[in-house]
Amino acid sequence: MLFRLILKNVFRHRLRTALTLLGVTIAVLAFGLLQTVVGAWYAGAEATSRTRLVTRNAISLVFPLPLSYQQKIRAIPGVTQVSHSNWFGGIYGSERNFFPQFAVEAESYFRLYPEFRLSGEEMQAFLRDRQGAVVGRKLAQRFGWKMGDIVTLRGTIWPGTWRFVIRGIYRGAEATTDEGLFFFHWDYLNEVAKRQYPRRANTVGVFIVGISDAGRAAALSSAVDELFRNSLAETRTETEKAFQLSFVSMTEAILLAIQVVSYVVILIILAVMANTMAMTARERLAEYATLKALGFGPDFVRLLVYGESLAIATLGGALGIALTFPAAYAFGGQLASLFPVFRIQPATLWLQAAAAIAVGVAAAAVPAEKGARVNIVAGLRSIA
């Protein structure tokens, strides 16, 4: 009987219920999208390996390190392999077509990053071609590139016109692997640097250090930095995750603002829901008095109000969660250059569900108590 009454009450004022449902749906959808944006910001850090360290110039990432450091780092016990890369910063057509580009020491780099999966044929083709490039699957889809296509970049950090031939398209081993990167040979960059920018030749942006034991990451980081203490280019070595988080920390204020806005959205819909339930309870005080006169206790009335509120909030929440998937797909597609990995985390879905239920419970708290305590005589008198 209770569930039948709840169901009938939910749809007694269809327009009001529909508008409230719409509000809850949009609020839960907006909350989920904002939480996904925050998660996408940390995607790079979450996809890192515990057995990789990153060594960069202690002053700033802007300043390079001598290539000669590589052999010295490799000689440290516990270091399994070392590779290096340079941020290129080229422009493809216009600045709006941004995507990350790295000049890498191909063989060692792809050994250190097995999550970038490339077929043997593609890898051999890439290694044979000094102007070859390897791109991620999503990046290739974005610009319609295919094997053998020539890509021309306008260099900014390394001025000039740079031509590359796509020799491989990698796929990510995990759903969280970034498939929006562009790799080419560091040797090609260095050759040009020797001719045009001799002072910048034989330098690298960062060293990627593979270690055998993740538990020794701190000790090995200190060992690397100690090796180059008081040199012309002192180093700063940290785990790959810490390195990625250092970029995230630069935008921490923006992330905090997004988090706050996402919860403000929930508070707003809570106020709307509370108003709806207050109006509903006020209109039905005579009905609650009648129920109590027929022998139904205050708890039955409370359950009636809570049930109606939870039914609307749960239905709106479910619709909001369901719509989050297509919305995130469309949103992620439009912002692929900014968020290469834009996935809805399971925690986000749980947060959306919890927020919808919390709104349903909180919005019914006062009306339910008011309905449960209604005076039978006063309530019935209002019918006359």
Side-chain angles (χ1 to χ4, degrees), residues 219-276:
L220 289 171
S221 297
S222 299
V224 173
D225 293 342
E226 189 62 34
L227 196 60
F228 304 110
R229 189 175 298 282
N230 298 322
S231 67
L232 289 176
E234 293 190 348
T235 61
R236 177 179 176 180
T237 304
E238 55 198 342
T239 61
E240 190 181 31
K241 186 171 187 176
F243 179 73
Q244 293 287 347
L245 288 175
S246 67
F247 292 99
V248 176
S249 65
M250 296 177 190
T251 55
E252 197 168 7
I254 298 175
L255 288 176
L256 180 62
I258 294 174
Q259 289 271 24
V260 170
V261 169
S262 69
Y263 286 102
V264 167
V265 169
I266 295 300
L267 288 176
I268 291 172
I269 196 58
L270 171 61
V272 172
M273 253 318 266
N275 182 57
T276 298

Side-chain angles (χ1 to χ4, degrees), residues 181-197:
L181 304 178
F182 184 101
F183 299 107
F184 64 96
H185 292 285
W186 178 88
D187 288 342
Y188 176 42
L189 178 71
N190 198 45
E191 280 179 7
V192 177
K194 285 178 179 175
R195 293 197 304 269
Q196 300 183 13
Y197 323 104

Side-chain angles (χ1 to χ4, degrees), residues 29-48:
L29 170 62
F31 178 75
L33 276 180
L34 291 171
Q35 289 294 324
T36 303
V37 168
V38 174
W41 228 292
Y42 287 95
E46 296 302 323
T48 56

